[in-house]
PDB file of all heavy atoms in Angstrom:
ATOM      1  N   ILE A  19      73.835 -12.401 -13.046  1.00 96.00           N
ATOM      2  CA  ILE A  19      72.673 -12.915 -12.186  1.00 96.00           C
ATOM      3  C   ILE A  19      73.260 -14.001 -11.200  1.00 96.00           C
ATOM      4  O   ILE A  19      74.345 -14.688 -11.415  1.00 96.00           O
ATOM      5  CB  ILE A  19      71.638 -13.485 -13.036  1.00 96.00           C
ATOM      6  CG1 ILE A  19      72.101 -14.708 -13.864  1.00 96.00           C
ATOM      7  CG2 ILE A  19      71.002 -12.433 -13.765  1.00 96.00           C
ATOM      8  CD1 ILE A  19      70.988 -15.493 -14.571  1.00 96.00           C
ATOM      9  N   GLY A  20      72.644 -14.202 -10.116  1.00 96.00           N
ATOM     10  CA  GLY A  20      72.884 -15.478  -9.284  1.00 96.00           C
ATOM     11  C   GLY A  20      73.762 -15.034  -8.047  1.00 96.00           C
ATOM     12  O   GLY A  20      73.733 -15.581  -6.967  1.00 96.00           O
ATOM     13  N   ASP A  21      74.573 -14.034  -8.150  1.00 92.00           N
ATOM     14  CA  ASP A  21      75.408 -13.595  -6.990  1.00 92.00           C
ATOM     15  C   ASP A  21      76.134 -12.281  -7.435  1.00 92.00           C
ATOM     16  O   ASP A  21      76.109 -11.835  -8.533  1.00 92.00           O
ATOM     17  CB  ASP A  21      76.441 -14.658  -6.555  1.00 92.00           C
ATOM     18  CG  ASP A  21      76.940 -14.650  -5.221  1.00 92.00           C
ATOM     19  OD1 ASP A  21      76.636 -13.675  -4.582  1.00 92.00           O
ATOM     20  OD2 ASP A  21      77.538 -15.618  -4.695  1.00 92.00           O
ATOM     21  N   ASP A  22      76.848 -11.761  -6.424  1.00 94.00           N
ATOM     22  CA  ASP A  22      77.635 -10.529  -6.573  1.00 94.00           C
ATOM     23  C   ASP A  22      78.888 -10.846  -7.390  1.00 94.00           C
ATOM     24  O   ASP A  22      79.548 -11.965  -7.112  1.00 94.00           O
ATOM     25  CB  ASP A  22      77.948  -9.978  -5.217  1.00 94.00           C
ATOM     26  CG  ASP A  22      79.037  -8.811  -5.275  1.00 94.00           C
ATOM     27  OD1 ASP A  22      78.822  -7.720  -5.759  1.00 94.00           O
ATOM     28  OD2 ASP A  22      80.273  -9.202  -5.042  1.00 94.00           O
ATOM     29  N   LEU A  23      79.291 -10.078  -8.412  1.00 97.00           N
ATOM     30  CA  LEU A  23      80.402 -10.389  -9.319  1.00 97.00           C
ATOM     31  C   LEU A  23      81.703 -10.663  -8.504  1.00 97.00           C
ATOM     32  O   LEU A  23      82.432 -11.668  -8.712  1.00 97.00           O
ATOM     33  CB  LEU A  23      80.525  -9.261 -10.185  1.00 97.00           C
ATOM     34  CG  LEU A  23      81.821  -9.304 -11.184  1.00 97.00           C
ATOM     35  CD1 LEU A  23      81.811 -10.588 -12.109  1.00 97.00           C
ATOM     36  CD2 LEU A  23      81.829  -8.021 -12.014  1.00 97.00           C
ATOM     37  N   TYR A  24      82.076  -9.709  -7.491  1.00 97.00           N
ATOM     38  CA  TYR A  24      83.266  -9.819  -6.897  1.00 97.00           C
ATOM     39  C   TYR A  24      83.300 -11.023  -5.917  1.00 97.00           C
ATOM     40  O   TYR A  24      84.363 -11.696  -5.748  1.00 97.00           O
ATOM     41  CB  TYR A  24      83.570  -8.523  -6.134  1.00 97.00           C
ATOM     42  CG  TYR A  24      84.094  -7.352  -6.932  1.00 97.00           C
ATOM     43  CD1 TYR A  24      84.057  -7.569  -8.435  1.00 97.00           C
ATOM     44  CD2 TYR A  24      84.632  -6.203  -6.435  1.00 97.00           C
ATOM     45  CE1 TYR A  24      84.490  -6.602  -9.265  1.00 97.00           C
ATOM     46  CE2 TYR A  24      85.166  -5.227  -7.320  1.00 97.00           C
ATOM     47  CZ  TYR A  24      85.067  -5.427  -8.634  1.00 97.00           C
ATOM     48  OH  TYR A  24      85.500  -4.368  -9.494  1.00 97.00           O
ATOM     49  N   THR A  25      82.157 -11.368  -5.350  1.00 97.00           N
ATOM     50  CA  THR A  25      81.930 -12.637  -4.581  1.00 97.00           C
ATOM     51  C   THR A  25      82.293 -13.765  -5.399  1.00 97.00           C
ATOM     52  O   THR A  25      82.901 -14.718  -4.941  1.00 97.00           O
ATOM     53  CB  THR A  25      80.611 -12.658  -3.906  1.00 97.00           C
ATOM     54  OG1 THR A  25      80.522 -11.562  -3.070  1.00 97.00           O
ATOM     55  CG2 THR A  25      80.347 -13.830  -2.993  1.00 97.00           C
ATOM     56  N   ALA A  26      81.718 -13.750  -6.574  1.00 98.00           N
ATOM     57  CA  ALA A  26      81.907 -14.981  -7.463  1.00 98.00           C
ATOM     58  C   ALA A  26      83.336 -15.198  -7.784  1.00 98.00           C
ATOM     59  O   ALA A  26      83.827 -16.307  -7.844  1.00 98.00           O
ATOM     60  CB  ALA A  26      81.146 -14.738  -8.815  1.00 98.00           C
ATOM     61  N   ILE A  27      84.111 -14.040  -8.154  1.00 98.00           N
ATOM     62  CA  ILE A  27      85.417 -14.201  -8.554  1.00 98.00           C
ATOM     63  C   ILE A  27      86.316 -14.760  -7.087  1.00 98.00           C
ATOM     64  O   ILE A  27      87.093 -15.629  -7.301  1.00 98.00           O
ATOM     65  CB  ILE A  27      86.005 -12.786  -8.832  1.00 98.00           C
ATOM     66  CG1 ILE A  27      85.503 -12.459 -10.211  1.00 98.00           C
ATOM     67  CG2 ILE A  27      87.545 -12.744  -8.995  1.00 98.00           C
ATOM     68  CD1 ILE A  27      85.688 -10.981 -10.611  1.00 98.00           C
ATOM     69  N   ALA A  28      86.033 -14.169  -5.994  1.00 98.00           N
ATOM     70  CA  ALA A  28      86.554 -14.705  -4.753  1.00 98.00           C
ATOM     71  C   ALA A  28      86.370 -16.114  -4.559  1.00 98.00           C
ATOM     72  O   ALA A  28      87.313 -16.916  -4.221  1.00 98.00           O
ATOM     73  CB  ALA A  28      86.181 -13.947  -3.536  1.00 98.00           C
ATOM     74  N   ASP A  29      85.105 -16.640  -4.736  1.00 98.00           N
ATOM     75  CA  ASP A  29      84.766 -18.008  -4.783  1.00 98.00           C
ATOM     76  C   ASP A  29      85.491 -18.917  -5.764  1.00 98.00           C
ATOM     77  O   ASP A  29      86.000 -19.960  -5.316  1.00 98.00           O
ATOM     78  CB  ASP A  29      83.264 -18.229  -5.006  1.00 98.00           C
ATOM     79  CG  ASP A  29      82.371 -17.780  -3.798  1.00 98.00           C
ATOM     80  OD1 ASP A  29      82.920 -17.498  -2.814  1.00 98.00           O
ATOM     81  OD2 ASP A  29      81.187 -17.566  -4.018  1.00 98.00           O
ATOM     82  N   GLY A  30      85.737 -18.326  -6.866  1.00 98.00           N
ATOM     83  CA  GLY A  30      86.487 -19.137  -7.854  1.00 98.00           C
ATOM     84  C   GLY A  30      87.988 -19.151  -7.431  1.00 98.00           C
ATOM     85  O   GLY A  30      88.699 -20.226  -7.537  1.00 98.00           O
ATOM     86  N   VAL A  31      88.601 -18.094  -6.783  1.00 98.00           N
ATOM     87  CA  VAL A  31      89.904 -18.229  -6.423  1.00 98.00           C
ATOM     88  C   VAL A  31      90.127 -19.250  -5.331  1.00 98.00           C
ATOM     89  O   VAL A  31      91.000 -19.987  -5.288  1.00 98.00           O
ATOM     90  CB  VAL A  31      90.429 -16.744  -5.912  1.00 98.00           C
ATOM     91  CG1 VAL A  31      91.709 -16.928  -5.095  1.00 98.00           C
ATOM     92  CG2 VAL A  31      90.540 -15.897  -7.113  1.00 98.00           C
ATOM     93  N   ARG A  32      89.154 -19.074  -4.367  1.00 98.00           N
ATOM     94  CA  ARG A  32      89.036 -19.962  -3.208  1.00 98.00           C
ATOM     95  C   ARG A  32      89.033 -21.463  -3.676  1.00 98.00           C
ATOM     96  O   ARG A  32      89.864 -22.362  -3.301  1.00 98.00           O
ATOM     97  CB  ARG A  32      87.958 -19.699  -2.252  1.00 98.00           C
ATOM     98  CG  ARG A  32      87.845 -20.510  -0.993  1.00 98.00           C
ATOM     99  CD  ARG A  32      86.633 -20.126  -0.264  1.00 98.00           C
ATOM    100  NE  ARG A  32      86.722 -18.768   0.204  1.00 98.00           N
ATOM    101  CZ  ARG A  32      85.926 -17.686  -0.339  1.00 98.00           C
ATOM    102  NH1 ARG A  32      85.001 -17.947  -1.233  1.00 98.00           N
ATOM    103  NH2 ARG A  32      86.225 -16.413   0.208  1.00 98.00           N
ATOM    104  N   GLN A  33      88.119 -21.768  -4.646  1.00 98.00           N
ATOM    105  CA  GLN A  33      87.914 -23.159  -5.211  1.00 98.00           C
ATOM    106  C   GLN A  33      89.214 -23.491  -5.907  1.00 98.00           C
ATOM    107  O   GLN A  33      89.708 -24.665  -5.696  1.00 98.00           O
ATOM    108  CB  GLN A  33      86.714 -23.240  -6.071  1.00 98.00           C
ATOM    109  CG  GLN A  33      86.469 -24.543  -6.756  1.00 98.00           C
ATOM    110  CD  GLN A  33      85.361 -24.473  -7.572  1.00 98.00           C
ATOM    111  OE1 GLN A  33      84.503 -23.711  -7.552  1.00 98.00           O
ATOM    112  NE2 GLN A  33      85.354 -25.415  -8.544  1.00 98.00           N
ATOM    113  N   GLY A  34      89.779 -22.741  -6.787  1.00 98.00           N
ATOM    114  CA  GLY A  34      90.872 -23.096  -7.620  1.00 98.00           C
ATOM    115  C   GLY A  34      92.041 -23.337  -6.801  1.00 98.00           C
ATOM    116  O   GLY A  34      92.809 -24.400  -7.006  1.00 98.00           O
ATOM    117  N   TYR A  35      92.395 -22.543  -5.726  1.00 98.00           N
ATOM    118  CA  TYR A  35      93.630 -22.784  -4.889  1.00 98.00           C
ATOM    119  C   TYR A  35      93.443 -23.849  -4.077  1.00 98.00           C
ATOM    120  O   TYR A  35      94.535 -24.679  -3.891  1.00 98.00           O
ATOM    121  CB  TYR A  35      93.868 -21.496  -4.224  1.00 98.00           C
ATOM    122  CG  TYR A  35      94.865 -20.451  -5.080  1.00 98.00           C
ATOM    123  CD1 TYR A  35      94.238 -19.664  -6.057  1.00 98.00           C
ATOM    124  CD2 TYR A  35      96.092 -20.292  -4.693  1.00 98.00           C
ATOM    125  CE1 TYR A  35      94.943 -18.880  -6.703  1.00 98.00           C
ATOM    126  CE2 TYR A  35      96.797 -19.484  -5.431  1.00 98.00           C
ATOM    127  CZ  TYR A  35      96.223 -18.746  -6.613  1.00 98.00           C
ATOM    128  OH  TYR A  35      96.956 -17.946  -7.298  1.00 98.00           O
ATOM    129  N   GLN A  36      92.343 -24.292  -3.492  1.00 98.00           N
ATOM    130  CA  GLN A  36      92.110 -25.348  -2.601  1.00 98.00           C
ATOM    131  C   GLN A  36      92.141 -26.659  -3.433  1.00 98.00           C
ATOM    132  O   GLN A  36      92.802 -27.562  -3.050  1.00 98.00           O
ATOM    133  CB  GLN A  36      90.779 -25.186  -1.905  1.00 98.00           C
ATOM    134  CG  GLN A  36      90.851 -24.136  -0.843  1.00 98.00           C
ATOM    135  CD  GLN A  36      89.491 -23.915  -0.123  1.00 98.00           C
ATOM    136  OE1 GLN A  36      88.436 -24.315  -0.584  1.00 98.00           O
ATOM    137  NE2 GLN A  36      89.564 -23.236   0.998  1.00 98.00           N
ATOM    138  N   GLU A  37      91.283 -26.730  -4.487  1.00 97.00           N
ATOM    139  CA  GLU A  37      91.374 -28.059  -5.354  1.00 97.00           C
ATOM    140  C   GLU A  37      92.657 -28.230  -5.962  1.00 97.00           C
ATOM    141  O   GLU A  37      92.959 -29.350  -6.237  1.00 97.00           O
ATOM    142  CB  GLU A  37      90.139 -27.978  -6.286  1.00 97.00           C
ATOM    143  CG  GLU A  37      88.827 -27.856  -5.720  1.00 97.00           C
ATOM    144  CD  GLU A  37      87.711 -27.886  -6.679  1.00 97.00           C
ATOM    145  OE1 GLU A  37      87.905 -27.825  -7.984  1.00 97.00           O
ATOM    146  OE2 GLU A  37      86.572 -27.983  -6.305  1.00 97.00           O
ATOM    147  N   GLY A  38      93.443 -27.076  -6.347  1.00 96.00           N
ATOM    148  CA  GLY A  38      94.733 -27.451  -7.019  1.00 96.00           C
ATOM    149  C   GLY A  38      95.946 -27.443  -6.110  1.00 96.00           C
ATOM    150  O   GLY A  38      97.040 -27.701  -6.533  1.00 96.00           O
ATOM    151  N   CYS A  39      95.560 -27.497  -4.866  1.00 96.00           N
ATOM    152  CA  CYS A  39      96.631 -27.632  -3.744  1.00 96.00           C
ATOM    153  C   CYS A  39      97.698 -26.647  -4.039  1.00 96.00           C
ATOM    154  O   CYS A  39      98.988 -26.765  -4.013  1.00 96.00           O
ATOM    155  CB  CYS A  39      97.223 -29.000  -3.723  1.00 96.00           C
ATOM    156  SG  CYS A  39      96.017 -30.313  -3.256  1.00 96.00           S
ATOM    157  N   LEU A  40      97.358 -25.355  -4.319  1.00 98.00           N
ATOM    158  CA  LEU A  40      98.242 -24.285  -4.510  1.00 98.00           C
ATOM    159  C   LEU A  40      98.495 -23.515  -3.139  1.00 98.00           C
ATOM    160  O   LEU A  40      97.528 -23.353  -2.439  1.00 98.00           O
ATOM    161  CB  LEU A  40      97.469 -23.313  -5.496  1.00 98.00           C
ATOM    162  CG  LEU A  40      97.165 -23.926  -6.834  1.00 98.00           C
ATOM    163  CD1 LEU A  40      96.483 -22.779  -7.692  1.00 98.00           C
ATOM    164  CD2 LEU A  40      98.330 -24.539  -7.676  1.00 98.00           C
ATOM    165  N   ARG A  41      99.693 -22.971  -3.046  1.00 97.00           N
ATOM    166  CA  ARG A  41     100.013 -22.372  -1.837  1.00 97.00           C
ATOM    167  C   ARG A  41      99.273 -21.222  -1.536  1.00 97.00           C
ATOM    168  O   ARG A  41      98.960 -20.372  -2.602  1.00 97.00           O
ATOM    169  CB  ARG A  41     101.553 -22.043  -1.792  1.00 97.00           C
ATOM    170  CG  ARG A  41     102.155 -21.586  -0.415  1.00 97.00           C
ATOM    171  CD  ARG A  41     103.511 -21.120  -0.431  1.00 97.00           C
ATOM    172  NE  ARG A  41     103.586 -19.724  -0.863  1.00 97.00           N
ATOM    173  CZ  ARG A  41     104.716 -19.044  -0.938  1.00 97.00           C
ATOM    174  NH1 ARG A  41     105.763 -19.671  -0.565  1.00 97.00           N
ATOM    175  NH2 ARG A  41     104.678 -17.855  -1.311  1.00 97.00           N
ATOM    176  N   LYS A  42      98.683 -20.924  -0.347  1.00 97.00           N
ATOM    177  CA  LYS A  42      97.964 -19.820  -0.091  1.00 97.00           C
ATOM    178  C   LYS A  42      98.834 -18.847   0.626  1.00 97.00           C
ATOM    179  O   LYS A  42      99.442 -19.084   1.703  1.00 97.00           O
ATOM    180  CB  LYS A  42      96.636 -20.102   0.825  1.00 97.00           C
ATOM    181  CG  LYS A  42      95.624 -21.001   0.157  1.00 97.00           C
ATOM    182  CD  LYS A  42      95.964 -22.455   0.148  1.00 97.00           C
ATOM    183  CE  LYS A  42      94.773 -23.328  -0.337  1.00 97.00           C
ATOM    184  NZ  LYS A  42      95.217 -24.689  -0.551  1.00 97.00           N
ATOM    185  N   SER A  43      98.901 -17.498   0.071  1.00 97.00           N
ATOM    186  CA  SER A  43      99.844 -16.652   0.494  1.00 97.00           C
ATOM    187  C   SER A  43      99.476 -15.311   1.019  1.00 97.00           C
ATOM    188  O   SER A  43     100.125 -14.468   1.561  1.00 97.00           O
ATOM    189  CB  SER A  43     100.792 -16.265  -0.710  1.00 97.00           C
ATOM    190  OG  SER A  43     101.465 -17.359  -1.206  1.00 97.00           O
ATOM    191  N   MET A  44      98.109 -15.165   0.991  1.00 98.00           N
ATOM    192  CA  MET A  44      97.497 -13.875   1.408  1.00 98.00           C
ATOM    193  C   MET A  44      97.264 -13.851   2.959  1.00 98.00           C
ATOM    194  O   MET A  44      96.851 -14.811   3.522  1.00 98.00           O
ATOM    195  CB  MET A  44      96.104 -13.653   0.846  1.00 98.00           C
ATOM    196  CG  MET A  44      96.200 -13.649  -0.763  1.00 98.00           C
ATOM    197  SD  MET A  44      97.288 -12.296  -1.395  1.00 98.00           S
ATOM    198  CE  MET A  44      96.327 -10.931  -0.966  1.00 98.00           C
ATOM    199  N   VAL A  45      97.657 -12.646   3.408  1.00 98.00           N
ATOM    200  CA  VAL A  45      97.559 -12.457   4.878  1.00 98.00           C
ATOM    201  C   VAL A  45      96.600 -11.118   4.971  1.00 98.00           C
ATOM    202  O   VAL A  45      96.718 -10.150   4.373  1.00 98.00           O
ATOM    203  CB  VAL A  45      98.751 -12.195   5.610  1.00 98.00           C
ATOM    204  CG1 VAL A  45      99.694 -13.535   5.583  1.00 98.00           C
ATOM    205  CG2 VAL A  45      99.574 -11.125   5.152  1.00 98.00           C
ATOM    206  N   LYS A  46      95.828 -11.202   6.092  1.00 96.00           N
ATOM    207  CA  LYS A  46      95.077 -10.018   6.573  1.00 96.00           C
ATOM    208  C   LYS A  46      95.794  -9.249   7.601  1.00 96.00           C
ATOM    209  O   LYS A  46      96.732  -9.746   8.118  1.00 96.00           O
ATOM    210  CB  LYS A  46      93.578 -10.392   7.065  1.00 96.00           C
ATOM    211  CG  LYS A  46      93.649 -11.389   8.143  1.00 96.00           C
ATOM    212  CD  LYS A  46      92.205 -11.936   8.421  1.00 96.00           C
ATOM    213  CE  LYS A  46      92.014 -12.959   9.396  1.00 96.00           C
ATOM    214  NZ  LYS A  46      90.677 -13.480   9.662  1.00 96.00           N
ATOM    215  N   ASP A  47      95.300  -8.017   8.015  1.00 96.00           N
ATOM    216  CA  ASP A  47      96.034  -7.296   8.948  1.00 96.00           C
ATOM    217  C   ASP A  47      97.528  -7.152   8.607  1.00 96.00           C
ATOM    218  O   ASP A  47      98.471  -7.489   9.322  1.00 96.00           O
ATOM    219  CB  ASP A  47      95.904  -7.719  10.387  1.00 96.00           C
ATOM    220  CG  ASP A  47      94.373  -7.893  10.776  1.00 96.00           C
ATOM    221  OD1 ASP A  47      93.606  -7.032  10.452  1.00 96.00           O
ATOM    222  OD2 ASP A  47      94.078  -8.982  11.341  1.00 96.00           O
ATOM    223  N   PRO A  48      97.802  -6.461   7.354  1.00 96.00           N
ATOM    224  CA  PRO A  48      99.055  -6.611   6.789  1.00 96.00           C
ATOM    225  C   PRO A  48     100.210  -6.112   7.679  1.00 96.00           C
ATOM    226  O   PRO A  48     101.423  -6.495   7.567  1.00 96.00           O
ATOM    227  CB  PRO A  48      98.930  -5.919   5.431  1.00 96.00           C
ATOM    228  CG  PRO A  48      97.869  -5.002   5.547  1.00 96.00           C
ATOM    229  CD  PRO A  48      96.855  -5.848   6.461  1.00 96.00           C
TER     230      PRO A  48
END
């Protein structure tokens, strides 16, 4: 409940990597 499951996981990744100052490595248009 509350949101789409995959959106929730992406939000968690976004939050974890930003707050943890972890390197962001993903690129679009590969």
Side-chain angles (χ1 to χ4, degrees):
I19 61 172
D21 205 345
D22 168 72
L23 173 60
Y24 284 9
T25 298
I27 293 169
D29 286 344
V31 170
R32 184 177 297 110
Q33 178 183 337
Y35 274 74
Q36 289 176 341
E37 293 182 357
C39 297
L40 304 175
R41 195 184 80 174
K42 291 83 173 175
S43 302
M44 299 301 290
V45 296
K46 54 187 175 182
D47 304 317

